[in-house]
Amino acid sequence: MLLWVSLLVLAPVSGQFATEPKSVIFLHSPWTTVFQGENVTLTCKIFHLDASEKIKWYRWYLLEKTQSETSGNTHEVHESGDYRCQAQDSPLSNRVGLLFSPANLILQAPLDVFEEESVILRCRAKANTVLKTIKLYKNEKVLEDHTVEIPVGMLTDFHIHQASLKDNGKYHCTGVKEDDQLVSSNSVKIEVQELFPRPVLKASSTQPTEGGAVTLTCETQLSPQRPDVQLQFHFFRDRRSLGSGWGSSPEFWIHTIWRENSGSYWCQAQSMNPSVQKQSQRLQIQVKKVVPDIRIYPRPELVFEGQELVLICSVNGVPGPITVSWYRKFKLRTERKLHTSSKTEFKIPVVQNSHDGEYYCVASNSRSSFRSDPVTINVKVPVSQPVLTLSPPGTWTFVGDEVSFDCEAQRGSLPIWYQFFHEGVLLMKIEATLWRTMSYRFFLTEEHSGNYYCAADNGLGLQSSETLRLSVTIPVSRPILTLRTPGAQAVVGDMVELHCKAWRGSPPILYQFYHEDASLESSSSPSGKGASFNLLLTAEHSGNYFCEANNGQGFQRSNTVSLSVRVPVSQPVLTLRAPGAQAVVGDMVELHCEAWRGSPPILYQFYHEDASLESSSSPSGKGASFNLLLTAEHSGNYFCEANNGQGFQRSNTVSLSVRVPVSQPVLTLRASRAQTVVGDMIELHCEAQRGSPPILYQFYHKDVAVGNSSAPLGGGASFNLSLTTNHSGNYSCKADNGLGVQQSEVMLLSVIVPVSRPILTLRAPRAQAVVGDVVELHCEAQRGSPPILYQFYHKNVTLESSMSHYGQGVSLNLSLTANHSGTYSCEADNGLGPQCSEAVTLSITGLTESRSGPVATGVTGGLLSMMGLAAIALLFYCWLPRKAGRKPTFDSSRNQSASDPQEPTYHNVPSWIELQPVYSNVNPNRGDVVYSEVRTVKVENKQAAASDPKLLKNTDSCVIYSQVKGAYTAAPKPQLLAASTPHR
């Protein structure tokens, strides 16, 4: 049995649905449940293709996934689980569940059951199992009972004929052995599936237009598990079968549909084996009536005699094929058929006047004919050039006469529009529908002189007549006198034109010019354009002017025109008036500008460095003033301009220097780093943001002057210091430019001292450090600005770090173990660079209860010998300076008192070890070398010594440590010294 497990893509193809190529698994045999030990062969294929390349197989069992690969498309399996395969690049197949059962009885069933199929349920017993009876159950109810004896290894089949939904349920079988023992099989769930759903009928249009085409499609979806099943289709309208009956195509084409084809459409789909038939719901299709649109168009729309005329018949909404007939109507209501063709165009190559009339077209198909509305064709004839005539004839007339202009076009289609023009201005427009001549009558006035013409137009092009001149004799009107100057105002030296013109009056006209009733000049104008007279202006030409015009029919006098001749301004003078010899911020300064010549009013404009300040008008010619309350920005160059409309004049430039008192200066300390250090070079910069130079700057340290500097051009002044510790303190500066002294804010300068090389001291309770002792490591730098960070190292490994905020050293206590042997060092750092001490070696031995015996004696003798040598060296060292009259080089002030409560107290120590060693380091590169000391006190009472620090005695100890200052060239190794020997 073939199990198709493909995912379908819902795209209809031949009434079914196309599948995306997907891997499919075949089972041989067809059962998904078999006995353990049996094998099932799986075959992987792509839909309708054989998969010959490598196949990937996947198995899921109890959430565990395994993967394998075969070179062929078969795979033999014997384990339960869900299986999928993938052939080539196709998607994975659907899962197929296999059960390899260990039971004595199994029920085998196909994976998929479809409607109308015959189904076999097989109840199968193991080879060594003999059953007397077998029963089949559906939903726990007995369906069939086989009471005959079942042979060993045989099987029993149960049949379901033409499966339907009523056969859905859960099935299993049971059997009874010879010993009456009941055995039961696995359960199988049967779900009967549709082979294909009820079809759906679709139409390309449910409201088609009459004469159009419609496509019907019967759509359904065949089950993916039965892709080899073929479907057939049948289409119906109402109760009538369409076409030839059943066919394999899901589509039915109606090539031409008419209104009588409206109705209810439906389809049927059926499979042959098994035989399943299903019917779609009904689909209503309403065919719309054709609304024909028949129109006729002429090309071109405006038809001229001699052109080609094309008539176009536009046909819409008439199903074809069609034929077109052309008709012409005459004025006596008669008509004639011109042409019939399948084409929608009719041509008249050369149009004549005889082609005037109405035209229409008729479109016909096999069922009916449709007629267009008529279109009227008027063949147009352009007008000829019209002729303009004057009645009564002549060119010279007088005011009050009646005249008539006649315009006629000899040729052209009516109606014709005539237009009459005077000097290009339209006078009248009139339409001629019956006659070709039109007239324009009027009574003459003085304005009617001039050129006349007429135009004719019938829509085919405008034609104009020749021009006709008409002259009317007119008395002169009152003339107008015009004074034409080069500018808005007349200025001395300008050339002024006096022009006199009478707007009405027949030429020639005589013009006479006057100034204050004094005749100047006369001139005759034969053309009527007026007359002119030129004057080169002086100051005396100011006054009243008029003119007279005369053409022999009486003179006319113009109105009086006044002429004012203006005098340009001279160069102005700018004066600055200040309250003192020097202008200072806050002073009030007056700027005065005056031009000695020029026609008033005069506009004065003041400027500062080309920037406009203020303007003032002087109507009397006495100049103008402007006041400034001075600020620092008012320094610079000033000038003024004078202008009375005849051109501006600029004064000479006047400089103003405004002195500005210094502002409070700002003191800035410029250093190469954030914290100043001894030896650094710093710059003290003092600068006043405002103040006229030169400025004298003075620098102060704790109110004591340390230097001064002058800044002749501004920008401040600087003073350099090479720092020592004495330079710490408050600094300030002063600025003075002669207008008052200003002092800056006080600035604090802190000079930081780098740390010197620290000294590491080991303070132990005995000469030889023993496991269990407490040793104090003390690290101290003699110089350096606090805070100082100290770090202790053992064999270059950091032990502990501590911060000293007051310049003192720090200590670290160690309870000794054997691991504490080795070299120790410390480091000091106050942010200006770390300094490391010399290394100190600490040797540790184990401590035993008994120190007597030969070993102790030998050690004691050795130590006493060393102590004796150290005592001699110490006495010799102390004796040398005394003999020379100098004090010992060690500083007794650094020797702590024996009763110092900070010193450790030790007891129960033999007398030969009372003198304790000193562990220290020596700095050969520094001038100050400091050494520490360790004291021991012999106490009889252990409890008293431990409880009372005052019991410490110094009778058996010698102060052997001091501070030595001086150069040291070589760093000695740490050594054990005798108590009586100074450590230098």
Side-chain angles (χ1 to χ4, degrees), residues 370-398:
F370 305 93
R371 174 175 168 172
S372 71
D373 292 333
V375 61
T376 300
I377 300 299
N378 291 317
V379 180
K380 300 292 185 179
V381 178
V383 296
S384 60
Q385 183 181 22
V387 176
L388 180 65
T389 58
L390 178 64
S391 179
T395 57
W396 289 90
T397 57
F398 297 94

Side-chain angles (χ1 to χ4, degrees), residues 29-43:
S29 62
W31 314 112
T32 58
T33 302
V34 296
F35 285 115
Q36 278 186 349
E38 296 179 338
N39 294 329
V40 175
T41 300
L42 307 180
T43 302

Side-chain angles (χ1 to χ4, degrees), residues 873-890 982 984:
L874 177 61
L875 291 175
F876 180 74
Y877 175 81
C878 296
W879 174 77
L880 284 176
R882 289 179 182 177
K883 185 176 182 181
R886 293 182 286 110
K887 294 183 179 181
T889 59
F890 64 85
R984 302 180 64 183

